[in-house]
Amino acid sequence: MKEHNILKVPFWKVALRFTTSFLVLLGIVLSAAAYFKNGNMDAMNDAMLDGSWVKFVLIRVAIAIVYGVAMAYFSRNKAKKLQGLK
């Protein structure tokens, strides 16, 4: 079995993995919530037409980047502690 060490992977790659997985999960959850709230996707279509989706997306991307960087930092620190490097 191949061993994967988070300390051997560059920090930006780890952060990018956390960020993209969070964005996908966030997108699925928010789309499902909007569908159940409205009963259809008309609100999303209206947002596409009036341009209000840009602010919505930028806020979610910023949150995902912060989450990705934080999780990469904490995961690498935990790995260092487990290996006795810190």
Side-chain angles (χ1 to χ4, degrees), residues 38-58:
N38 299 323
N40 56 27
M41 294 296 199
D42 289 339
M44 295 177 99
N45 292 334
D46 294 341
M48 291 290 189
L49 294 175
D50 68 9
S52 63
W53 65 273
V54 175
K55 183 179 177 184
F56 177 83
V57 169
L58 289 177

Side-chain angles (χ1 to χ4, degrees), residues 11-83:
F11 181 82
W12 69 270
K13 282 188 178 182
V14 176
L16 185 64
R17 288 178 187 164
F18 279 116
T19 299
T20 54
S21 62
F22 186 73
L23 274 175
V24 169
L25 181 64
L26 190 65
I28 291 170
V29 169
L30 291 176
S31 296
Y35 180 74
F36 288 123
K37 179 182 173 189
N38 299 323
N40 56 27
M41 294 296 199
D42 289 339
M44 295 177 99
N45 292 334
D46 294 341
M48 291 290 189
L49 294 175
D50 68 9
S52 63
W53 65 273
V54 175
K55 183 179 177 184
F56 177 83
V57 169
L58 289 177
I59 290 170
R60 289 344 182 248
V61 167
I63 291 170
I65 290 171
V66 169
Y67 172 82
V69 169
M71 288 302 296
Y73 175 78
F74 292 127
S75 296
R76 289 173 64 92
N77 277 349
K78 184 178 179 180
K80 286 178 184 177
K81 287 180 184 177
L82 290 174
Q83 290 184 1

